[in-house]
């Protein structure tokens, strides 16, 4: 590959000391990258990924950042992390080993693979820390291009803090005049992802302070760029987004990865445009290299030509940085060689310290187990039971926590016929270790702060003796008007502004509060979610609307991979209390009647999942979520906006607790557990069943996550001894989930006189028209017949066959 290596000569004065500091960091970063691969091959680490070949562009980016700025990067950005002071090399290696302690891996507590960085924005109580005085890393994410949507929201928050004076009293920890820039990085292959291109477009529309950086090394693992990108260049393919004197757009800058002065100039320009003029920028860094290939999982010699492998060496940015430094007279070759040697030694020192600390944490529990094992050995005199277990453990060169648990469980199984003090001590040790491991690996799925919405105290709706009946949409409209009085709350989505959403629940609110409080967006669900997600990381309280539940699959990767697990994967270090508002269940047709609850249940653990039966309950759930600090999803009943509801006298105080079912109708013969639009169906069926002599208790679970925290459903089954789980999801979906929760977790099985049953929709999308709804989803007759058959099973004489 014949390339010419000529450095740029920008009108910039370089400080020799700062340049040499940059070289030291580039050299040390490279040495650490090389060690990561060796550690994986040694067996001490599971997987390694690194940023070698991208050191200079990352240094240039970091040098353009200011306190309060953000980087929403990806798994090669170690040089940025160290340059901005958000990452240390011992932390880098601690994460490589999966050290489950935030004192050693404050970014994820060992939960994420290496090079996934996250500034700890929360104190030990879960309260926000000051983001304006630090250089911020948004939690790393492996899903390619998923770093872009929340970056859009981080930058959008700067726009809101800059343009809305009412936010100033809430800005202290999050913004200083909206001058913060969000830098987001990506590899060139991942720019082919639809979500990335959507975010580019949204940034151009929004005109927000964001700098997109593309590290272009010509490959997506083994697939070359000609299969990835039109014209084999993201900057060429996006040329139509380039701003002009008369049209807004992006500023697109191309620069070479080995050209240190050119990189410094490029990032100074991009950062200034974004910070001062709110111009989104794209910096396309070409001729990046991958000295070790994609990751530690393979070798690039398998798919790169000899010429390309030669290029990986010739275009090495660190080597060209050396040449430029020497040409500038900032250092000699000998001095740079000494720096490289020092870097190699330092990298090894940091690696050894990190691994020793990781092993020491495990050794504490290992020594405790061995002491108990000796006690067990001495007190039982059964060496044949214990010695194989100890031998297996001692043969492990690098035992980990699960090895200790495995040994403890094996020992208890072997000594199951012994009940002396030594066995009891082993049980106690294992229980305590399991509790510590739960904390290490499973804590912080939800907020553990005093602001947790689970702590909300219920405030029931109260009514006049003869309440006014209004459309359900009017209850929500009045509620949202109250919520929007909080400067931090804003609503965005398709058609929410000018027309007040397609169901009129926001009618008139944009006129009242303004377009930056109730904001229309394009048809771009991924970046809508990204706008809200990033803004919620900066102290704001967005309510993001997905127009119909069926469309939630467009942004589902972001909702699942980023939003739902953010608090967990940062071990309580970051949070994003965004609320996603949508509507589903029953209306008309395949794409406007969805109820895919099981998909959401299994993909959104870490989110409170609310399924209100009417708009009054929905209003109370929104208030609960807005008062808390967890993410929440509210699925309103699509066919309920024009159904009449009594207007509560205390609508502005209404609070619905999460995970607390409500008994809608008391009964003695059978319990029906349901939610959402099915509540009306079941209540109508209950009337029909009463006329047939069957007394049904109807329970609305209200939230699927959390689910019946106090086991109210079990209490009902203890009275009725029969249960039917009914919903509109497909078979094996949320009805099966509810059954498992009640039978397995609540232990209701022993109280049943008849088998528990599920009633769900047909195993296909709902057909169009009223007949389509009737024959696709559970109807009143389905409920009546199912309950009747359950009663007939135990008492056929009182309930004779109807249809045969």
């Amino acid at each position: 590959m014949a390339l010419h290596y000529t450095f740029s000569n920008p009108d910039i004065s370089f400080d020799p000391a700062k340049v040499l500091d940059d070289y030291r960091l580039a050299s040390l970063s490279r040495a650490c990258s090389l060690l990561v691969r060796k550690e994986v091959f040694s067996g001490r680490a599971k997987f390694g990924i690194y940023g070698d070949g991208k050191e200079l562009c990352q240094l240039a980016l970091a040098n353009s950042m200011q306190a309060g700025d953000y980087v929403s990067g990806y798994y090669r950005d170690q040089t940025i992390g160290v340059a901005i002071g958000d990452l240390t090399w011992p932390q880098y290696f601690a994460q490589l080993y999966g050290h489950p302690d935030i004192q050693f891996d404050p970014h994820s507590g060992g939960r994420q693979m290496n090079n996934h960085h996250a500034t700890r924005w929360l104190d030990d109580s879960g309260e926000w820390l000051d983001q304006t005085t630090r250089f911020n890393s948004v939690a790393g994410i492996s899903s390619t291009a998923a770093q872009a949507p929340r970056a859009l929201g981080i930058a959008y928050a700067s726009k809101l803090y800059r343009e809305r004076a009412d936010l100033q009293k809430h800005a202290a920890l999050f913004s200083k005049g909206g001058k913060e820039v969000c830098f987001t990085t990506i590899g060139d292959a991942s720019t082919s992802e639809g979500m990335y291109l959507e975010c580019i477009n949204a940034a151009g529309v929004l005109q927000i302070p964001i700098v997109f950086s593309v590290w272009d090394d010509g490959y997506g693992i083994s697939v070359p760029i000609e299969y990835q990108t039109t014209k084999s260049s993201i900057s060429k393919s996006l040329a139509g987004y380039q701003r002009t004197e008369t049209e807004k757009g992006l500023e697109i800058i191309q620069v070479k990865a080995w050209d240190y002065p050119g990189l410094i100039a490029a990032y100074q320009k991009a950062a200034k445009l974004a910070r001062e003029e709110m111009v989104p920028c794209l910096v396309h860094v070409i001729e990046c290299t991958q000295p070790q290939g994609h990751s530690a999982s393979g070798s690039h010699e398998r798919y790169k030509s000899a010429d390309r492998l030669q290029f990986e060496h010739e275009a090495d940015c660190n080597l060209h940085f050396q040449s430029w430094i020497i040409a500038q007279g900032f250092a000699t070759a000998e001095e740079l060689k000494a720096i490289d040697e020092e870097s190699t030694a330092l990298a090894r020192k940091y690696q050894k310290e990190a691994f020793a600390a990781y092993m020491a944490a495990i050794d504490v529990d290992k020594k405790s187990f061995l002491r108990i094992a000796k006690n067990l050995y001495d007190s039982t005199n059964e060496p044949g039971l214990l010695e194989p277990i100890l031998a297996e453990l001692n043969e492990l060169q690098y035992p980990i926590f699960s090895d200790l648990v495995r040994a403890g469980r094996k020992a208890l199984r072997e000594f199951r016929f012994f009940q002396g003090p030594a066995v009891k001590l082993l049980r106690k040790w294992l229980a305590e270790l399991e509790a510590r491991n739960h904390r290490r690996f499973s804590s912080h799925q939800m907020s553990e702060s005093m602001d947790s919405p689970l702590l909300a105290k219920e405030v029931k709706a109260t009514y006049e003796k003869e309440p006014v009946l209004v459309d359900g949409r009017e209850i929500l409209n009045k509620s949202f008007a109250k919520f929007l009085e909080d400067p931090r709350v804003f609503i965005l989505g398709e058609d929410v502004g000018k027309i007040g959403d397609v169901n009129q629940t926001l009618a008139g609110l944009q006129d009242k509060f303004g377009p930056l409080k109730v904001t229309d967006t394009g048809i771009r669900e991924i970046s809508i979610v990204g706008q809200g997600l990033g803004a919620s990381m900066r102290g704001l309280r967005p309510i993001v609307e997905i127009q119909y539940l069926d469309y939630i699959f467009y942004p589902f990767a972001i909702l699942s991979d980023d939003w739902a697990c953010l608090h967990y994967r940062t071990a309580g270090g970051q949070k994003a209390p965004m609320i996603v508002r949508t509507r589903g269940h029953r209306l008309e047709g395949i794409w406007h009647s969805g109820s895919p609850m099981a998909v959401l249940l299994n993909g959104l653990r870490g989110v409170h999942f609310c399924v209100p039966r009417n708009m009054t309950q929905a209003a109370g759930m929104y208030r609960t979520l807005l008062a808390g600090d967890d993410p929440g999803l509210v699925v309103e009943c699509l066919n309920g906006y024009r159904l009449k509801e009594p207007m509560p006298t205390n609508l502005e105080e209404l609070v619905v607790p999460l995970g607390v079912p409500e008994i809608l109708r008391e009964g003695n013969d059978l319990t029906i557990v349901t939610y959402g639009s099915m509540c009306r169906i079941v209540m109508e069926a209950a009337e029909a069943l009463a006329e047939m002599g069957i007394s049904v208790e109807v329970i609305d679970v209200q939230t699927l996550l959390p689910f019946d925290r106090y086991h109210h459903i079990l209490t009902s089954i203890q009275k009725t001894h029969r249960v039917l789980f009914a919903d509109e999801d497909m078979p094996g979906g949320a009805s099966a989930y509810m059954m498992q929760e009640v039978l397995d977790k609540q232990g209701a099985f022993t109280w049943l006189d008849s088998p528990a049953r599920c009633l769900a929709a047909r195993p296909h999308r709902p057909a169009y028209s009223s007949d389509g709804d009737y024959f696709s989803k559970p109807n009143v007759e389905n409920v009546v017949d199912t309950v009747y058959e359950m009663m007939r099973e135990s008492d056929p004489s009182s309930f004779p066959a109807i249809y045969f």
Side-chain angles (χ1 to χ4, degrees):
M1 302 178 70
L3 296 174
H4 299 286
Y5 300 101
T6 302
F7 294 104
S8 301
N9 188 26
D11 187 18
I12 296 174
S13 178
F14 290 95
D15 177 4
K18 177 65 174 72
V19 169
L20 288 179
D21 283 343
D22 279 353
Y23 183 79
R24 288 188 184 91
L25 180 49
S27 177
L28 182 51
S29 182
R30 178 64 61 84
C32 290
S33 290
L34 296 173
L35 259 185
V36 166
R37 188 173 179 87
K38 292 177 181 177
E39 285 302 284
V40 172
F41 290 164
S42 76
R44 287 186 287 267
K46 293 281 288 184
F47 176 79
I49 200 157
Y50 18 73
D52 52 334
K54 284 87 179 170
E55 291 89 352
L56 295 200
C57 50
Q58 293 187 32
L59 283 167
L61 185 156
N63 286 339
S64 71
M65 292 179 68
Q66 296 181 7
D69 284 350
Y70 299 80
V71 59
S72 179
Y74 81 128
Y75 40 74
R76 301 197 186 279
D77 289 345
Q78 68 212 45
T79 310
I80 297 174
V82 175
I84 63 176
D86 194 49
L87 171 71
T88 67
W89 294 116
Q91 291 170 3
Y92 176 76
F93 285 108
Q95 195 175 55
L96 174 69
Y97 302 124
H99 194 160
D101 186 336
I102 61 172
Q103 300 304 315
F104 295 91
D105 172 19
H107 304 271
S108 72
R111 294 176 184 183
Q112 296 226 94
M113 65 177 62
N114 75 304
N115 252 338
H116 288 67
H117 314 137
T119 306
R120 294 200 74 79
W121 289 335
L122 307 177
D123 64 18
D124 292 341
S125 299
E127 301 296 328
W128 289 112
L129 297 169
D130 191 349
Q131 295 178 10
T132 67
T133 58
R134 62 181 72 194
F135 295 82
N136 300 282
S137 295
V138 189
I141 184 168
S142 291
S143 308
T144 56
Q147 63 270 36
R150 84 283 183 84
L152 197 76
I154 292 284
Y156 183 66
S158 289
K159 179 174 183 173
L160 295 180
Y161 280 118
R162 185 180 302 203
E163 297 185 4
R164 284 183 43 206
D166 61 332
L167 280 174
Q168 293 315 301
K169 64 180 179 181
H170 297 286
L173 299 178
F174 306 104
S175 181
K176 292 184 177 179
K179 295 288 188 180
E180 300 80 20
V181 176
C182 184
F183 297 82
T184 183
T185 67
I186 195 169
D188 59 289
S190 296
T191 63
S192 300
E193 292 279 9
M195 68 176 67
Y196 187 78
L197 299 173
E198 183 178 313
C199 290
I200 289 283
N201 179 64
V205 170
L206 294 170
Q207 292 293 289
I208 51 177
I210 187 170
V211 176
F212 296 91
S213 295
V214 180
W215 312 147
D216 189 346
D217 56 31
Y219 281 83
I221 306 184
S222 67
V223 180
I225 195 169
E226 54 264 33
Y227 296 128
Q228 305 278 2
T229 308
T230 300
K231 300 182 180 181
S232 296
S233 168
I234 190 63
S235 54
K236 289 180 181 179
S237 65
L238 295 179
Y241 286 94
Q242 174 64 50
R243 67 185 183 130
T244 67
E245 292 183 359
T246 58
E247 294 178 316
K248 293 181 178 179
L250 277 72
E251 181 67 17
I252 299 177
I253 303 166
Q254 187 180 94
V255 64
K256 295 176 179 177
W258 45 264
D259 182 6
Y260 178 79
L263 287 161
I264 295 294
Y267 276 100
Q268 284 186 2
K269 176 183 178 181
K272 184 176 181 180
L273 283 171
R275 196 180 312 280
E276 297 181 4
E277 301 181 37
M278 301 276 281
V279 174
C281 298
L282 171 71
V283 181
H284 181 198
V285 182
I286 63 173
E287 297 181 19
C288 291
T289 62
Q290 283 188 334
Q292 301 182 95
H294 174 267
S295 67
S297 64
S299 170
H300 59 164
E301 285 83 0
R302 292 183 299 158
Y303 51 83
K304 289 180 181 175
S305 68
D307 285 349
R308 179 68 198 195
L309 292 170
Q310 181 65 23
F311 163 81
E312 302 289 356
H313 174 72
E314 290 179 356
D316 189 316
C317 62
N318 284 14
L319 296 179
H320 286 279
F321 195 15
Q322 290 179 6
S323 300
W324 183 80
I325 290 171
I326 293 168
Q328 296 296 310
F330 294 162
T332 65
E334 290 73 18
E335 290 170 329
L336 296 180
K337 182 180 179 183
I339 290 174
D340 289 341
E341 291 173 350
E342 181 185 20
S343 295
T344 300
L346 279 173
R348 179 58 76 180
K349 172 178 176 291
Y350 294 139
Q351 173 269 314
K352 287 183 176 179
E353 289 175 355
F355 188 71
Y358 175 47
M359 287 291 100
I362 297 167
D363 199 48
V364 171
D365 288 324
K366 180 182 177 182
K367 287 179 177 177
S368 179
F369 172 72
L370 292 176
R371 285 195 299 270
I372 293 170
K374 184 178 186 305
N375 189 4
L376 190 63
Y377 183 98
D378 292 342
S379 63
T380 62
N381 195 28
E382 291 285 348
L385 298 179
L386 193 58
E387 286 178 351
I389 298 171
L390 296 179
E392 183 180 7
L393 180 62
N394 289 325
E395 284 175 3
L396 297 172
Q397 188 175 7
Y398 307 117
I400 56 179
F401 289 109
S402 57
D403 293 320
L404 303 181
V405 170
R406 193 175 293 113
R409 288 177 173 176
K410 286 181 178 179
L412 284 174
R413 291 199 298 269
E414 290 296 327
F415 286 88
R416 62 190 181 278
F417 296 112
F418 296 82
Q419 298 299 323
V423 171
K424 293 179 180 178
L425 186 62
L426 179 57
R427 287 177 184 155
K428 180 174 182 292
W429 170 86
L430 183 60
E432 291 173 349
L433 179 59
E434 294 275 30
R436 288 194 296 276
N437 287 335
H438 182 273
R439 191 70 188 164
R440 286 167 177 142
F441 300 104
S442 300
S443 68
H444 293 98
Q445 188 172 13
M446 309 302 301
S447 170
E448 299 180 8
S449 79
M450 294 304 295
D451 294 321
S452 167
L454 296 179
L455 302 177
K457 302 298 183 183
E458 181 178 17
V459 178
K460 290 181 176 292
T462 58
Y463 299 95
E464 297 284 359
K465 187 174 182 181
E466 295 184 2
V468 177
L469 294 178
V470 298
D471 287 353
R473 63 186 174 84
E474 296 180 51
I475 290 174
L476 281 182
N477 184 272
K478 187 174 180 179
S479 298
F480 284 128
K482 183 64 177 179
F483 301 150
L484 286 164
E485 292 177 3
D486 184 336
R488 300 170 300 166
V489 175
F490 66 93
I491 301 173
L492 76 161
E494 300 160 18
D495 299 305
V496 302
K498 193 173 184 64
I499 68 169
D501 94 27
V502 293
N503 295 289
Q504 296 295 286
T505 63
L506 303 173
L509 298 187
Q510 187 181 76
D511 291 338
K512 181 176 181 179
F513 292 98
L516 287 179
K517 287 280 284 180
V518 184
T519 305
D520 281 317
T521 69
I523 301 175
R524 48 176 182 82
E525 285 83 2
I526 294 171
S527 52
I528 292 171
V529 165
Q531 268 181 262
L533 175 58
S536 71
M537 294 175 174
R538 295 185 62 187
L540 301 178
R541 299 307 308 269
I543 300 174
V544 170
E545 177 165 317
I546 302 298
Q547 201 165 78
Y548 294 98
L549 180 58
D550 299 273
Y551 302 160
I552 204 165
F553 294 110
Y554 283 94
F556 193 70
I558 299 304
L559 294 173
S560 181
D561 292 348
D562 200 358
W563 180 52
C565 65
L566 175 71
H567 198 54
Y568 166 77
R569 74 177 192 272
T570 59
Q574 296 188 3
K575 60 183 176 182
M578 173 179 72
I579 296 173
V580 173
R581 176 195 183 207
T582 188
R583 51 196 64 87
H585 309 314
R586 291 173 183 262
L587 191 66
E588 296 292 347
I590 291 175
W591 296 285
H592 298 83
S593 301
S595 192
M597 300 291 112
V599 177
L600 304 179
L601 280 167
N602 293 316
L604 297 179
R605 297 302 173 108
V607 173
H608 296 298
F609 188 176
C610 303
V611 283
R613 66 181 179 273
N614 59 32
M615 305 311 157
T616 301
Q617 296 305 101
M621 292 171 183
Y622 283 118
R623 179 168 285 103
T624 302
L625 292 170
L626 285 169
D629 63 348
D630 268 330
L633 168 66
V634 181
V635 180
E636 299 164 13
C637 295
L638 188 49
N639 62 356
Y641 295 107
R642 285 170 174 76
L643 296 179
K644 298 298 183 182
E645 298 183 31
M647 175 64 77
T649 58
N650 64 337
L651 182 62
E652 294 184 357
E653 291 82 39
L654 186 64
V655 175
V656 174
L658 306 181
V660 182
E662 182 176 350
I663 298 176
L664 304 185
R665 179 187 179 107
E666 293 191 356
N668 299 309
D669 293 328
L670 186 143
T671 300
I672 303 181
V673 181
T674 190
Y675 60 87
S677 294
M678 276 296 292
C679 289
R680 291 191 296 275
I681 301 291
V682 171
M683 289 294 282
E684 186 178 343
E687 288 290 337
L689 288 162
E691 295 175 2
M692 302 171 75
I694 300 174
S695 173
V696 169
E697 184 144 296
V698 180
I699 297 181
D700 173 13
V701 302
Q702 304 209 87
T703 64
L704 291 169
L705 295 172
F707 185 89
D708 191 11
R709 294 158 59 201
Y710 305 113
H711 294 188
H712 292 333
I713 298 171
L714 173 63
T715 300
S716 175
I717 293 171
Q718 288 172 338
K719 176 177 62 172
T720 66
H721 303 289
R722 297 178 184 86
V723 63
L724 170 66
F725 300 94
D727 81 334
E728 300 179 45
D729 199 359
M730 293 187 191
S735 57
Y737 160 79
M738 293 190 293
M739 179 184 280
Q740 183 187 27
E741 287 285 324
V742 174
L743 268 59
D744 288 2
K745 294 185 180 180
Q746 297 185 16
F749 178 80
T750 57
W751 294 92
L752 292 175
D753 290 342
S754 299
R757 294 279 297 273
C758 289
L759 177 62
R762 295 286 183 178
H764 55 71
R765 296 290 188 99
Y768 176 66
S769 80
S770 296
D771 268 351
D773 174 81
Y774 185 88
F775 292 111
S776 300
K777 298 220 176 190
N779 54 55
V780 172
E781 287 70 36
N782 294 149
V783 176
V784 170
D785 290 349
T786 302
V787 171
Y788 188 87
E789 282 302 309
M790 292 176 70
M791 297 300 297
R792 184 175 179 276
E793 286 173 3
S794 59
D795 189 0
S797 61
S798 298
F799 302 101
I802 296 176
Y803 301 112
F804 57 88

